[in-house]
């Protein structure tokens, strides 16, 4: 099932080789890794460039971006060149991972010069020098089957990073006095790439009133609610109001997403909400969350982002 309001991740894999080591070994191991990724149905493409220098690193980056990749893996098929590898990791515009090939057997070790474990240690030091955020698994050196599993795990990590970096958090109302836990600075959210659009409760009420004229859409949503509840609704007279509120939020979502790709809500729903709107919003919140648009209560911006991260991580 296609995830709604959630990024799809396409992994670009680049093989790297130190110029005094056999590039053919990296290519052979890369081919084996891509075959294992295909078995696992990981959406991944390999760069046609085996990176040995900085010019090739930039070329591989451009190639994978042009192929639609939004996350990337640098794969050390042998020792690997530290500067070109970390340049690729630095320049790729998305979450990145590094891993390295284990020696298949003593025969390969005797015939070809690999030593990717040492290469990854050196690469990690260079990653630190460049202050890069790179996903390195707990056991980053392995055979193709083992590394394919770790790259599969990285897909979930990448979904979270890409999602949050393109997320807009819609907030309605100030955090209530008795919910101090929901008060939080927004700077860290911007540091992650998310944006925050804070609105007043009056903005929400005004939008709700404007939506009243969309009678056909409200009737259709109310009918869907009644069908979902299977006759178990104790207050059926509230369904049109709930439907109007759901339509209000969806209209706002579509009209205000702007430059962001994904969105979540953090809405105040206590204590004045019930008196102003005439109902509680919990059922509508759950319906939106079920469709991939989490709604946190009491303007809990961090709660909304946390829910969205869980959605991205688990699918």
């Amino acid at each position: 099932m296609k995830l709604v309001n959630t990024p799809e991740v396409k992994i670009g894999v680049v093989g790297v080789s130190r110029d005094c080591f056999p590039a053919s070994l990296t290519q052979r191991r890369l081919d084996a890794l891509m075959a294992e990724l295909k078995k696992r149905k990981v959406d991944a493409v390999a760069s046609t460039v085996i990176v040995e220098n900085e010019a090739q690193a930039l070329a591989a980056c451009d190639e994978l971006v042009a192929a639609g990749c939004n996350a990337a893996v640098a794969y050390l098929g042998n020792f690997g060149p530290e500067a070109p590898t970390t340049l690729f990791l630095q320049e790729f515009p998305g979450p990145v991972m590094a891993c390295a090939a284990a020696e298949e057997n003593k025969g390969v070790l005797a015939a070809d010069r690999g030593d990717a474990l040492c290469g990854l240690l050196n690469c990690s030091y260079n990653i630190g020098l460049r202050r890069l955020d790179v996903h390195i698994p707990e056991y980053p050196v392995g055979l193709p089957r083992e590394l394919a599993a770790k790259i599969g795990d990285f897909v979930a990590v990448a979904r979270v990073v890409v999602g949050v970096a393109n997320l807009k958090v819609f907030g309605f109302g100030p955090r209530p006095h008795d919910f101090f836990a929901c008060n939080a600075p927004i700077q860290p959210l911007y540091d992650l790439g998310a944006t925050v659009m804070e609105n007043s409760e009056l903005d929400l009420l005004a939008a709700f009133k404007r939506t009243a004229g969309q009678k056909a859409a409200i009737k259709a949503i109310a009918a869907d609610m009644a069908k979902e509840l299977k006759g178990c609704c104790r207050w059926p007279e509230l369904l049109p109001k709930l439907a109007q509120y759901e339509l209000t939020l969806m209209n706002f979502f579509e009209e205000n997403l702007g430059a962001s790709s994904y969105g979540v809500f953090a809405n105040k729903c206590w204590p004045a909400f019930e008196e102003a709107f005439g109902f509680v919003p919990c059922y509508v919140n759950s319906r939106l969350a079920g469709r991939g648009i989490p709604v946190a209560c009491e303007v809990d911006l961090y709660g909304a982002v946390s829910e969205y991260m869980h959605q991205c991580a688990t699918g």
Side-chain angles (χ1 to χ4, degrees), residues 2 8 103 111 118 146 181 219 238 301 315:
K2 184 177 180 180
E8 294 186 22
E103 308 299 344
C118 273
E146 298 163 337
K219 185 177 180 180
L238 286 180
L301 304 177

Side-chain angles (χ1 to χ4, degrees), residues 62-145:
D62 290 343
E63 179 188 18
L64 293 177
V65 170
C69 298
N70 54 0
V73 176
Y75 174 58
L76 281 71
N78 59 38
F79 195 105
E82 296 127 62
T85 302
T86 51
L87 179 64
F88 171 84
L89 296 170
Q90 175 178 287
E91 294 302 315
F92 187 86
V96 288
M97 169 181 167
C99 60
E103 308 299 344
E104 295 85 350
N105 52 57
K106 290 182 179 178
V108 174
L109 189 60
D112 285 311
R113 192 178 182 192
D115 204 9
L117 168 58
C118 273
L120 188 60
L121 291 173
N122 283 270
C123 181
S124 298
Y125 180 72
N126 206 302
I127 287 170
L129 288 175
R130 292 179 188 255
R131 301 185 185 277
L132 303 180
D133 293 320
V134 178
H135 175 69
I136 301 179
E138 186 174 0
Y139 296 100
V141 181
L143 298 172
R145 183 184 69 256

Side-chain angles (χ1 to χ4, degrees), residues 4-5 221 225 228 242 245-251 253 263-265 267 281-295 311:
V4 178
N5 194 41
I221 294 173
M225 289 177 168
E228 183 179 59
L242 291 168
Y245 181 66
E246 180 174 309
L247 183 60
T248 300
L249 291 181
M250 290 310 303
N251 285 347
F253 183 94
V264 295
F265 286 98
N267 302 340
C282 313
Y283 176 50
V284 172
N285 293 354
S286 71
R287 277 173 57 90
L288 265 63
R291 283 149 56 184
I293 305 174
V295 184
Q311 176 175 304

Side-chain angles (χ1 to χ4, degrees), residues 9-26:
V9 172
K10 185 175 185 178
I11 301 287
V13 185
V14 61
V16 302
S17 172
R18 188 171 285 261
D19 56 9
C20 56
F21 283 66
S24 58
L25 178 60
T26 289

